Amino acid sequence: MPKSQHSFTSIRPKGEALVWFTGMGLSVGILLIIGLLGIILKNGLSMFWPDTIYEVQLVEGSTAGPRNGQNFAGAIALERHKRLQEATNAGLTSEFQFFAGNKDAYGQMYHYVDADQIVTDATGEPLFTPASGILQLERIEFGDALGFPLEIQLADGTTITEPEALKAALFKTIEESNERLETYTKIEKKQIGRINSKMESIRLEQRALREELGEAAAETSPQIQELNEQQAALQAQYTELAAEARELRERRHQDSLLLRLATGEERRISFENITQAHFPNEMSLPGKVGFFLKQIWRFMSEAPREANTEGGIFPAIFGTFVMTLLMSLAVMPFGVVAAIYLREYATQGVIVRAVRISVNNLAGVPSIVYGVFGLGFFVYVLGGSIDELFFSHKLPTATFGTGGVLWASLTLALMTVPVVIVATEEALSAVPRGMREAALACGASKWQAIQRIVLPASAPGILTGLILAMARGAGEVAPLMLVGVVKLAPSLPLDGEFPFVHLDRKFMHLGFHIYDLAFQSPDSDAAKPMVFATTLLLIVLVIVLNLSAITIRNHLRKKYKGDTF
Amino acid sequence: MIQAPKTTDSREDFEPFIQIKDNYNFWYGSTQVLFDLNLDIPEKQVTAFIGPSGCGKSTLLRSINRMNDLIEGIQHTGDITIGDQSIYDPSLEVISLRKRIGMVFQKYNPFPKSIYENIVFSLRIAGRNKKSELDEVVERSLRGAALWDEVKDRLHESALSMSGGQMQRLCIARAIANNPEVILMDEPCSALDPIATGKVEELIHELKKDYTIVIVTHNMQQAARVSDRTAFFYLGKLIEYDVTDNIFMKPKNDQTEAYVSGRFG
């Protein structure tokens, strides 16, 4: 007995070190993901939080502040240690980055100030006092303004200077001004837009008639006469609407707010330029949370401004969503049908094996290659032919013969089809043989067995392939730059204008938006938080798309679960 | 277990319904698995195929509804007829052949659909979708498979929620939904417990009133219990074929005797 016990305990778990090794691999991976998500979350969300604005006093003779002055107000955007180029006795010192806004007055919104340039308190720490009563204005142009409100001058001549009344009038005027903006945007975009598209079609008809009848005969023909009359009527409507819109614009322009900046100067800002105002230092915590949520919503629902460094990213979210959806619609049937033939019908042999290897290798082709192919084949060949056949009256303006959401979706579908084929083949081969045999023994043809039994049973596996394809497609940027993504799209690929779905339109995409903000932006400091926020949204969008696919898959799995196999 | 009333007559005085004839041979690729078979199967009786593993009994069973066609590289010589029609008749679609033959497999394999949809599958694929007809077929088949009382209240639940024995009887109900002439059973009880096995055997006994049944089994007691005639195969050859009682009580062949008495197998 003792002997056997001895031999039992002497067996050393020889693989233990390798277990640690695998555990380490996993932990490194998890740490990387958590770290990445943490950085994105912190930087992305901090963009929406109303930061406290401090009054900053610089030491005598310092020129680090805006306009080289010694006083300014700003939020601390960054604090970091700085290694001085010249050796000093300290060697290390801190550096602050302040957000001072007022780009129109200061030239730039962010300012770097060394810690030793700032007046310190008794303990030697830099002295920051919250600027009481400071107002932060979000503007259409020149970014945010920071300052103390002095007076509001309305178009009807009233002037408000008393602080409490001014505060109330400020919010009321912004609301009215935004309503006016909405009204005239509706007039300009919808009504005038409709008139413009009608006039364009009349112009095309006139051109066609002139070509048909000849220049001279056309002038006297009744059709042309009628078209001219229609044109004149539309022109009159246009003038009327344009006047209405101009009046509203004028009114917005005339209301104005006088602001004293912390640097001392005064500036008058027209309300047409103001989209939102808040007093960051006077907000309670619930107020800040409400503001935070409202800012997130605005970021997701508004269009970008100021070369994409201000405003929201709604068109990019929408464009990404529509493109991913179209891509899924294209890739699913294509990939599934190909996989069914490969797995179920093709004689398994050298050729099929070669095809399978090629398909697997296609997944490794650099995506830019697909972009070039998409540009050459879809845009120039297919799109060009469609233009010649169906849109020749618009030439030389290209309709489909230029990048657009359809071609981008098809290019990505082509890129992700190997993923779907491989996943579908796996799923098909995992369907138990007994189930096929049962179907065939019931008198089903091979296609009926596939369609009614094999495909439904393999649907969860096929959806897994689609999930992978969507994740890859939604995050792809390089090929899209060639086949239809733009920095700023004037209109969405889906809207209320007939025929509602505009597959020929160029679109915005979150992935490209990130690239554009990070590397093509005129103001990289202002764009930085936008980059993180956009990245966060792209991740959220991919997660949402995947979760919905996973939900469907789990539902199907539950339906087909069982211990029969 | 219920003992079926047996035909004790060993004379070949019945009208054959299924005929395996002209020295039926069968190959998987270059491997011959069936050798020179000639076998007459009577109508509305149970015929059991017995023999050790690899003797070709399942292959022969699956030849009758041409399920072996799914495998690549198969060949045969000779012929099989059902009611005087050759199953290899080029004018006969294999699909219509299978509609005349129900099949029950070793491992119960209901479709991942509702009980109801499992049974009407063969009708749906034939384009018969009339509700009243389907309802009638479901009831008749489930009654035929002695399952109606157990499941009539949950016809639209998933078939995969049933017990193993119920699933196998559902597969039998599915096999008879199309009113076939023949039911092929490939070791239908090998995955079932004794109680479920008893139920299926009782069912086979009932079914032979309406259907010609061919059953492959490893279980000699089962063959003795349920079948009227028994064929013993060994290494792809038909060793002995007779009325079941004769095979088990007074086999003519030494190998048969050795096998049925459990001396090899």
Side-chain angles (χ1 to χ4, degrees):
Chain A
M1 192 63 190
K3 198 185 169 192
S4 75
Q5 206 169 23
H6 171 77
S7 69
F8 183 75
T9 48
S10 74
I11 297 170
R12 305 275 313 247
K14 290 208 175 76
E16 234 29 31
L18 289 175
V19 174
W20 279 101
F21 194 64
T22 56
M24 198 184 73
L26 180 68
S27 345
V28 169
I30 289 176
L31 276 178
L32 280 176
I33 291 172
I34 291 177
L36 184 70
L37 281 181
I39 290 173
I40 292 171
L41 269 174
K42 185 190 162 285
N43 286 291
L45 290 178
S46 70
M47 178 186 154
F48 306 114
W49 190 258
D51 285 323
T52 310
I53 311 288
Y54 296 102
E55 280 192 87
V56 185
Q57 175 93 44
L58 301 185
V59 294
E60 203 67 37
S62 167
T63 54
R67 315 216 113 186
N68 304 337
Q70 263 98 58
N71 279 304
F72 69 96
I76 302 167
L78 191 74
E79 181 188 356
R80 66 178 177 200
H81 287 293
K82 179 183 178 186
R83 192 175 290 280
L84 289 178
Q85 291 296 324
E86 310 103 39
T88 62
N89 48 0
L92 280 169
T93 183
S94 289
E95 178 187 52
F96 288 93
Q97 188 193 24
F98 289 101
F99 170 77
N102 299 326
K103 199 179 180 182
D104 46 342
Y106 302 156
Q108 58 198 39
M109 294 200 281
Y110 288 85
H111 302 268
Y112 286 95
V113 179
D114 289 349
D116 55 12
Q117 301 274 298
I118 302 171
V119 170
T120 54
D121 60 9
T123 59
E125 290 294 308
L127 184 68
F128 298 125
T129 38
S132 104
I134 200 161
L135 174 70
Q136 187 163 3
L137 289 178
E138 205 182 303
R139 296 182 294 179
I140 290 174
E141 281 177 322
F142 300 117
D144 284 10
L146 289 176
F148 305 94
L150 294 180
E151 68 165 39
I152 287 178
Q153 203 162 46
L154 295 176
D156 55 15
T158 41
T159 320
I160 305 155
T161 51
E162 196 273 317
E164 279 309 308
L166 192 145
K167 216 182 242 187
L170 172 70
F171 290 116
K172 188 167 154 269
T173 316
I174 289 175
E175 201 175 307
E176 282 172 2
S177 162
N178 283 342
E179 268 165 30
R180 288 190 191 109
L181 168 72
E182 218 168 276
T183 317
Y184 76 68
T185 314
K186 205 184 272 171
I187 293 174
E188 283 173 353
K189 278 233 162 129
K190 290 225 171 114
Q191 296 174 318
I192 295 185
R194 212 172 294 144
I195 291 174
N196 278 345
S197 71
K198 270 185 203 158
M199 285 176 63
E200 171 68 9
S201 67
I202 288 175
R203 193 185 64 79
L204 288 171
E205 271 179 65
Q206 284 174 329
R207 196 174 87 173
L209 276 172
R210 286 211 184 91
E211 267 166 26
E212 195 184 299
L213 304 170
E215 199 67 44
E219 286 315 312
T220 54
S221 84
Q223 287 151 299
I224 287 276
Q225 297 286 341
E226 200 191 314
L227 287 175
N228 284 344
E229 274 165 35
Q230 283 177 16
Q231 204 172 18
L234 287 171
Q235 187 65 44
Q237 271 182 41
Y238 171 83
T239 321
E240 198 178 309
L241 287 169
E244 196 182 329
R246 202 177 317 114
E247 195 183 320
L248 287 164
R249 263 177 195 282
E250 198 60 33
R251 176 68 210 261
R252 280 189 82 212
H253 177 70
Q254 281 167 0
D255 296 347
S256 69
L257 171 71
L258 188 66
L259 212 58
R260 183 175 60 79
L261 308 188
T263 40
E265 65 215 274
E266 291 182 2
R267 286 193 94 83
R268 189 167 285 282
I269 297 164
S270 158
F271 272 92
E272 72 179 341
N273 203 0
I274 301 174
T275 56
Q276 180 176 266
H278 66 284
F279 292 91
N281 293 356
E282 276 146 50
M283 283 172 136
S284 58
L285 185 65
K288 281 189 177 186
V289 171
F291 182 81
F292 174 74
L293 295 175
K294 192 175 146 211
Q295 288 295 87
I296 291 180
W297 169 246
R298 290 185 59 202
F299 182 67
M300 293 198 307
S301 62
E302 282 182 5
R305 304 188 305 265
E306 290 284 280
N308 294 351
T309 58
E310 297 278 330
I313 53 166
F314 175 70
I317 299 176
F318 192 76
T320 311
F321 179 74
V322 168
M323 189 215 63
T324 311
L325 214 64
L326 282 176
M327 180 203 78
S328 310
L329 285 180
V331 77
M332 265 293 268
F334 186 31
V336 169
V337 165
I340 287 176
Y341 188 83
L342 263 185
R343 173 62 60 183
E344 304 282 337
Y345 287 100
T347 315
Q348 305 295 320
V350 183
I351 297 174
V352 166
R353 217 176 311 145
V355 169
R356 200 167 280 142
I357 291 170
S358 313
V359 166
N360 287 344
N361 282 338
L362 274 183
V365 172
S367 56
I368 190 72
V369 175
Y370 286 99
V372 175
F373 175 80
L375 180 69
F377 180 69
F378 289 132
V379 176
Y380 292 156
V381 175
L382 272 186
S385 320
I386 290 175
D387 274 2
E388 264 170 42
L389 286 173
F390 302 107
F391 299 97
S392 56
H393 57 285
K394 284 195 185 166
L395 285 173
T397 313
T399 309
F400 278 97
T402 173
V405 66
L406 175 68
W407 302 138
S409 310
L410 289 183
T411 305
L412 285 196
L414 207 62
M415 191 186 82
T416 50
V417 86
V419 182
V420 176
I421 290 182
V422 170
T424 307
E425 274 209 79
E426 293 288 322
L428 289 176
S429 60
V431 173
R433 189 189 156 88
M435 220 138 60
R436 288 163 206 268
E437 286 187 339
L440 294 173
C442 282
S445 66
K446 190 160 184 181
W447 173 247
Q448 281 174 324
I450 291 172
Q451 182 204 352
R452 287 169 186 256
I453 303 297
V454 177
L455 267 188
S458 54
I462 295 174
L463 274 171
T464 306
L466 182 68
I467 290 168
L468 291 174
M470 281 198 324
R472 186 167 177 209
E476 193 58 70
V477 178
L480 297 180
M481 291 160 78
L482 302 181
V483 290
V485 148
V486 284
K487 184 186 172 82
L488 191 67
S491 43
L492 298 172
L494 280 177
D495 63 13
E497 196 184 315
F498 186 80
F500 311 119
V501 185
H502 306 276
L503 296 176
D504 55 318
R505 281 192 185 162
K506 293 187 189 301
F507 65 106
M508 291 173 73
H509 183 272
L510 286 169
F512 180 74
H513 204 74
I514 293 169
Y515 165 76
D516 178 64
L517 283 170
F519 300 106
Q520 311 277 298
S521 169
D523 187 347
S524 57
D525 282 326
K528 200 182 112 191
M530 295 278 286
V531 172
F532 283 107
T534 311
T535 309
L536 186 62
L537 257 170
L538 177 57
I539 292 173
V540 170
L541 184 73
V542 171
I543 290 175
V544 166
L545 285 173
N546 278 355
L547 275 185
S548 44
I550 288 171
T551 314
I552 299 173
R553 184 180 66 183
N554 288 351
H555 176 73
L556 289 173
R557 277 218 180 118
K558 213 188 311 175
K559 199 167 152 195
Y560 296 124
K561 79 157 194 250
D563 62 347
T564 42
F565 331 116
Chain B
M1 299 295 156
I2 290 172
Q3 200 71 17
K6 294 292 169 62
T7 325
T8 45
D9 193 353
S10 67
R11 284 169 300 154
E12 305 281 320
D13 62 349
F14 58 84
E15 273 290 301
F17 185 61
I18 302 172
Q19 280 186 297
I20 293 143
K21 59 186 187 184
D22 304 340
N23 293 335
Y24 190 75
N25 288 296
F26 191 86
W27 291 264
Y28 288 126
S30 56
T31 318
Q32 187 167 6
V33 288
L34 297 176
F35 297 86
D36 300 331
L37 301 184
N38 292 288
L39 191 69
D40 290 350
I41 293 171
E43 193 175 10
K44 295 190 179 167
Q45 287 192 22
V46 179
T47 305
F49 291 175
I50 61 170
S53 297
C55 70
K57 56 194 189 302
S58 279
T59 302
L60 179 61
L61 188 82
R62 296 163 75 88
S63 289
I64 296 174
N65 68 346
R66 291 180 60 181
M67 282 304 275
N68 286 330
D69 288 13
L70 301 179
I71 300 156
E72 273 173 44
I74 54 154
Q75 288 174 33
H76 74 275
T77 61
D79 198 7
I80 298 177
T81 59
I82 298 177
D84 291 332
Q85 188 179 24
S86 166
I87 65 164
Y88 293 110
D89 184 342
S91 69
L92 176 75
E93 285 254 11
V94 68
I95 290 168
S96 57
L97 169 74
R98 288 186 191 141
K99 280 180 178 152
R100 293 167 57 194
I101 305 175
M103 186 158 187
V104 179
F105 294 83
Q106 183 172 359
K107 181 84 178 135
Y108 40 83
N109 52 3
F111 301 131
K113 293 168 176 277
S114 68
I115 295 171
Y116 188 95
E117 285 301 321
N118 259 281
I119 292 171
V120 301
F121 178 79
S122 55
L123 282 82
R124 289 225 193 263
I125 56 176
R128 285 151 64 187
N129 283 315
K130 219 171 98 192
K131 178 113 184 12
S132 58
E133 187 193 357
L134 298 186
D135 287 346
E136 191 197 311
V137 167
V138 168
E139 182 166 352
R140 173 177 61 72
S141 309
L142 284 175
R143 280 192 194 283
L147 201 56
W148 175 253
D149 292 328
E150 289 166 56
V151 301
K152 65 182 174 197
D153 298 323
R154 51 186 185 114
L155 290 177
H156 295 283
E157 279 174 37
S158 169
L160 305 181
S161 63
M162 306 165 88
S163 73
Q166 286 177 324
M167 283 202 233
Q168 189 61 300
R169 278 182 286 149
L170 176 68
C171 292
I172 293 173
R174 183 174 69 190
I176 61 178
N178 223 359
N179 255 331
E181 297 156 44
V182 181
I183 303 175
L184 306 178
M185 296 187 173
D186 191 355
E187 298 182 39
C189 300
S190 64
L192 302 182
D193 62 60
I195 293 171
T197 301
K199 284 190 177 161
V200 171
E201 285 179 8
E202 256 176 74
L203 184 57
I204 292 171
H205 182 59
E206 283 298 311
L207 287 172
K208 76 172 183 182
K209 290 175 191 156
D210 300 310
Y211 307 99
T212 303
I213 296 174
V214 184
I215 178 170
V216 164
T217 178
H218 260 118
N219 180 329
M220 273 167 294
Q221 284 74 35
Q222 185 174 60
R225 282 194 299 267
V226 301
S227 68
D228 299 297
R229 301 181 73 83
T230 299
F232 172 63
F233 294 86
Y234 184 58
L235 297 179
K237 297 189 177 77
L238 177 62
I239 306 297
E240 194 170 346
Y241 176 50
D242 204 339
V243 172
T244 299
D245 284 350
N246 291 349
I247 292 280
F248 284 94
M249 302 304 179
K250 40 188 178 184
K252 296 188 186 77
N253 187 290
D254 293 343
Q255 275 174 321
T256 314
E257 194 189 351
Y259 183 72
V260 298
S261 58
R263 268 181 278 144
F264 86 100

